[in-house]
Amino acid sequence: MSNVLVFGHQNPDNDAIMSAVVLSQLLNQLEYAGNTYTACCLGPLPAESAKLLEDNGVAAPQLIEAIEPAAEGEEAQKVVLTDHNEPGQSVAGLENAVIAGVVDHHRFGNFTTAAPLHIVALPWGSSCSIVAKLFDIMGVEPTDTQAKLLLSAMMTDTLMLKSPTTTAVDAVIAKKLGDQIGVDPVRFGMEVFLTRPSGSFTAEQMVGNDIKMFDVAGKKLLIGQYETVDKSRALGMIPEIREAMRAYQAEKKADGIVLCLTDIMEEGSQVLLEGDTASAQKGLNIADEADGVWMPGVLSRKKQVAAPILAAN
Ligand SMILES: [Mn+2]
């Protein structure tokens, strides 16, 4: 029997947290493969996750910084990755771990393992949609708390089912979970969203809050997203935001950085570029303009920003 660590990506969002928390609960409940499962996270909890966990009396995931190499004669640490699969977005020392499973809704990049593993990958709107489906598959009813945590992440990840990453399956699962706990999914999602203290975000928080590293044509490109219900405050902070982008890029030793200031209400993103972003300019068909470029309809980093950049390079 092993203790398996279950965690989402660096700079966790609500989907990374809730997928790890609720999936660990399900696997523990099933005593799956005879192991125990510990929900972990690779960074501080987003405000909405902290509040949801606290309000529902669920322990916060354990913060981990790195996986150390196994000591002589000991087994390597087993891990389950949720909401990500690329080493660049994962824990430091991932190469020291045995990846026992992946539950994800992102593209796969550079993924190899030494042994067979569980992979559940579906291009649905959130990893929590997949976790909800796993309850079905395993014949387990989620508790009301589990339903609430899953639904919260489905709503934040799909921007209340408006993001183009949303599928018909997400709408069906959201309705089912909403019916179970007696809420309208979109209204519930809006309440979750409004618990974010977005009015007080610093430029550094806007940059570092939700950002991922991608390998694009041999270069390291950071793509970040700051979601807000009113972009005007962020637009008034562009010089500070650009400075924070340059500092973050230097700290992470990336070649370039893209930041999407996504306005959920206006349904689009103001896109700022710093450093070497030729690949991003090509993929998005935009120029590096001082105030950024408004891209109407762009809500999904994965589908409308990262995918076209990767496809064009
Ligand atoms: Mn996700």
Side-chain angles (χ1 to χ4, degrees):
M1 188 179 108
S2 313
N3 180 43
V4 182
L5 306 181
V6 183
F7 50 85
H9 50 80
Q10 292 174 17
N11 305 305
D13 60 8
N14 194 38
D15 194 32
I17 298 296
M18 296 309 176
S19 57
V21 167
V22 183
L23 179 64
S24 319
Q25 292 182 347
L26 173 65
L27 295 172
N28 280 325
Q29 202 174 325
L30 293 165
E31 299 181 19
Y32 192 81
N35 296 319
T36 58
Y37 298 84
T38 302
C40 299
C41 60
L42 306 183
L45 298 188
E48 69 269 26
S49 310
K51 182 168 191 324
L52 281 156
L53 293 174
E54 196 182 330
D55 287 356
N56 290 284
V58 179
Q62 187 184 318
L63 182 66
I64 54 168
E65 264 158 25
I67 307 277
E68 303 299 335
E72 190 74 28
E74 274 182 32
E75 255 182 52
Q77 176 65 54
K78 286 198 180 107
V79 300
V80 172
L81 311 181
T82 69
D83 202 37
H84 75 298
N85 68 79
E86 298 189 49
Q89 298 164 8
S90 197
V91 69
L94 182 66
E95 67 279 5
N96 299 319
V98 170
I99 299 172
V102 179
V103 175
D104 193 16
H105 67 138
H106 294 93
R107 72 164 199 147
F108 275 66
N110 308 320
F111 196 89
T112 59
T113 62
L117 75 164
H118 305 78
I119 289 194
V120 189
L122 290 159
W124 294 350
S126 71
S127 294
C128 279
S129 311
I130 306 172
V131 175
K133 194 67 201 172
L134 288 174
F135 273 84
D136 261 10
I137 291 170
M138 302 311 286
V140 177
E141 278 284 318
T143 64
D144 287 358
T145 294
Q146 287 168 334
K148 194 181 283 183
L149 299 182
L150 291 171
L151 184 60
S152 78
M154 290 185 63
M155 291 298 113
T156 52
D157 238 38
T158 63
L159 303 180
M160 272 71 80
L161 304 174
K162 279 195 295 193
S163 168
T165 55
T166 312
T167 67
V169 182
D170 295 295
V172 170
I173 295 174
K175 182 173 186 316
K176 192 175 165 203
L177 295 174
D179 286 349
Q180 180 181 336
I181 55 174
V183 299
D184 171 68
V186 171
R187 199 169 305 161
F188 171 71
M190 194 57 91
E191 278 169 26
V192 170
F193 206 90
L194 290 173
T195 62
R196 290 182 184 175
S198 55
S200 62
F201 262 52
T202 63
E204 288 74 20
Q205 287 169 326
M206 290 178 191
V207 173
N209 174 57
D210 178 11
I211 189 159
K212 291 179 181 172
M213 183 83 85
F214 293 86
D215 285 316
V216 185
K219 291 192 174 168
K220 286 183 182 299
L221 184 69
L222 287 159
I223 307 179
Q225 184 173 34
Y226 170 65
E227 293 161 354
T228 174
V229 286
D230 176 15
K231 71 178 188 303
S232 60
R233 181 170 171 272
L235 293 189
M237 295 168 61
I238 283 183
E240 292 160 75
I241 294 173
R242 284 193 173 278
E243 200 182 314
M245 287 170 71
R246 288 190 292 271
Y248 195 91
Q249 180 199 328
E251 185 197 324
K252 299 293 176 186
K253 298 184 171 60
D255 297 291
I257 179 167
V258 178
L259 181 67
C260 305
L261 303 171
T262 299
D263 191 312
I264 295 166
M265 294 304 163
E266 288 189 28
E267 301 194 22
S269 296
Q270 189 84 8
V271 181
L272 298 173
L273 308 171
E274 280 289 341
D276 179 354
T277 54
S279 62
Q281 294 180 43
K282 185 175 162 197
L284 300 176
N285 199 19
I286 60 170
D288 179 2
E289 289 180 27
D291 292 335
V293 178
W294 175 248
M295 297 186 72
V298 170
L299 294 173
S300 165
R301 167 179 49 201
K302 178 167 43 188
K303 212 164 188 170
Q304 294 167 297
V305 183
I309 292 173
L310 290 161
N313 291 278

